[in-house]
Amino acid sequence: DSMGSLGHGNDIEVGVYFSRVGCEPAQWHLDPNHNFTIQIEGEKDWLTAAGDSNTLGGSRGMRDTPGNYLEQTLAIPNTGPLERECTNLRPGSVLYIPPGHWHSVTPSNGDSFSVDLRVATIPHAKWLSEALYASLHSS
């Protein structure tokens, strides 16, 4: 696409996760990115709860002390069995978690290997300013 040709590749991250049954689960948290997880080996249970896709800021654990006013205003959802969803990822499964949505991850069967693609939520103004800067810089 035209934005990719301008050198905006730093808005995508790749995470690689290895874990096994019985290890410490990833505690409840939210991320400011669009997360696409591809399960390669083993199985993981993803618990998800309501969130707000318009959440700005960085990643935040549910138990973290709020660091600023924005974090103080975040709604912490009930994560009891009736208020959460559980999705089991097996080899070949893909799961999308929108920005600002709470989740916790636990290996559930065998040694687990997954890849996570995190795509930043970029305000249009940032894209415009980066494109303008790149155009001026190349002149």
Side-chain angles (χ1 to χ4, degrees), residues 28-48:
W28 282 97
H29 66 284
L30 59 78
D31 299 304
N33 307 313
H34 298 273
N35 290 305
F36 299 88
T37 297
I38 305 157
Q39 189 69 29
I40 308 297
E41 183 79 25
E43 296 181 25
K44 286 185 180 175
D45 287 336
W46 281 71
L47 303 178
T48 56

Side-chain angles (χ1 to χ4, degrees), residues 19-29 37 39 41-48 84-91 93 95 97 102-110 112-114:
S19 55
R20 53 179 39 146
V21 173
C23 74
E24 183 71 21
Q27 297 299 315
W28 282 97
H29 66 284
T37 297
Q39 189 69 29
E41 183 79 25
E43 296 181 25
K44 286 185 180 175
D45 287 336
W46 281 71
L47 303 178
T48 56
R84 67 179 186 219
E85 290 185 34
C86 180
T87 303
N88 177 262
L89 292 189
R90 297 176 177 169
S93 298
L95 179 67
I97 303 290
W102 297 95
H103 54 283
S104 175
V105 186
T106 305
S108 59
N109 187 14
S112 177
F113 168 44
S114 60

Side-chain angles (χ1 to χ4, degrees), residues 53-76:
S53 294
N54 295 313
T55 300
L56 301 174
S59 297
R60 178 176 187 275
M62 192 175 279
R63 295 182 182 153
D64 293 349
T65 301
N68 56 45
Y69 178 74
L70 175 66
E71 290 181 358
Q72 291 175 9
T73 64
L74 287 176
I76 305 295

